[in-house]
Amino acid sequence: MSGRDTIIRSLQDVGLAGWFGGSLMGAIGLNGGAATASSPAERLTISSAGWARWAPVQWALIGAHALGGIALIFSNKERLATQGEARTNTIVKTCLELAAGAVTVYSGFLGMKMAKNAPQGTEGVTEPADGASTELTSAQKQQKVLQWVIPTLTAVLLVLGAQQGEQQRPVAGRLKGKADRLAALTLRRR
């Protein structure tokens, strides 16, 4: 790497952090809080309104993450060509990013289905009420799983990003420098 990539790294990292944090807060805070509404019909209405407000921000964060990631791949193309571990990490990250993006899109689609059926009322945001339509019940059951898949995938991406940062540390250079200093000290003592 010839220079610093602070801006594009920040785009990638802040975008991913927001994606992770927003999805986790939504599953725990927004969905959990909306589930306490006294009216069963309000539960999905409140949750859907919150997710609708968050969606543009989430998509901007995902876009920033993607833009930063593409720019980093371009900036590190020589490193990726020669370092197998970094290349493997990048391939795994890219596959997980695509999976997380697909799950996020599908989760949004399910959320729209749930919002459309909000007047039916629910036990919780992802727990159907007795007598709920098949469409609503199916969407809620799927969403109950996906609300945890998104923060799980994005957390793994955060860990892989940290691993890539560790891969760039000049460990070999530090060891060689220490070995050279030790050799010089040894020669002086003779």
Side-chain angles (χ1 to χ4, degrees):
M1 218 165 52
S2 60
R4 293 188 179 261
D5 293 321
T6 304
I7 292 173
I8 58 178
R9 283 181 187 281
S10 297
L11 276 173
Q12 185 185 43
D13 292 348
V14 170
L16 182 56
W19 188 6
F20 166 74
S23 63
L24 187 61
M25 187 280 179
I28 295 169
L30 179 57
N31 288 353
T36 66
S38 57
S39 168
E42 287 183 330
R43 293 173 187 151
L44 277 179
T45 302
I46 293 168
S47 177
S48 297
W51 282 110
R53 287 178 180 233
W54 171 246
V57 175
Q58 176 177 258
W59 289 112
L61 290 164
I62 292 169
H65 173 68
L67 181 64
I70 291 166
L72 275 174
I73 288 171
F74 180 75
S75 178
N76 288 310
K77 64 182 178 269
E78 290 174 20
R79 178 176 167 239
L80 295 174
T82 59
Q83 292 181 349
E85 187 179 7
R87 186 174 47 253
T88 299
N89 181 295
T90 299
I91 292 167
V92 170
K93 275 182 60 179
T94 301
C95 291
L96 288 175
E97 287 160 343
L98 292 171
V103 171
T104 301
V105 168
Y106 189 63
S107 179
F109 171 73
L110 292 173
M112 288 188 296
K113 274 186 171 183
M114 291 163 56
K116 182 180 85 170
N117 289 288
Q120 293 181 38
T122 63
E123 285 295 317
V125 174
T126 58
E127 294 78 30
D130 291 336
S133 69
T134 305
E135 180 181 41
L136 179 56
T137 300
S138 174
Q140 285 180 294
K141 286 180 178 179
Q142 291 176 70
Q143 193 73 286
K144 187 171 190 160
V145 174
L146 295 185
Q147 73 180 346
W148 302 111
V149 170
I150 298 166
T152 300
L153 287 173
T154 52
V156 171
L157 289 168
L158 287 166
V159 170
L160 290 173
Q163 181 190 35
Q164 269 188 330
E166 289 295 311
Q167 290 170 347
Q168 288 186 296
R169 293 176 72 189
V171 174
R174 286 183 186 167
L175 292 177
K176 183 179 181 331
K178 287 181 181 181
D180 290 345
R181 284 191 298 277
L182 183 60
L185 283 173
T186 304
L187 289 174
R188 277 190 236 159
R189 289 185 182 165
R190 289 186 180 174

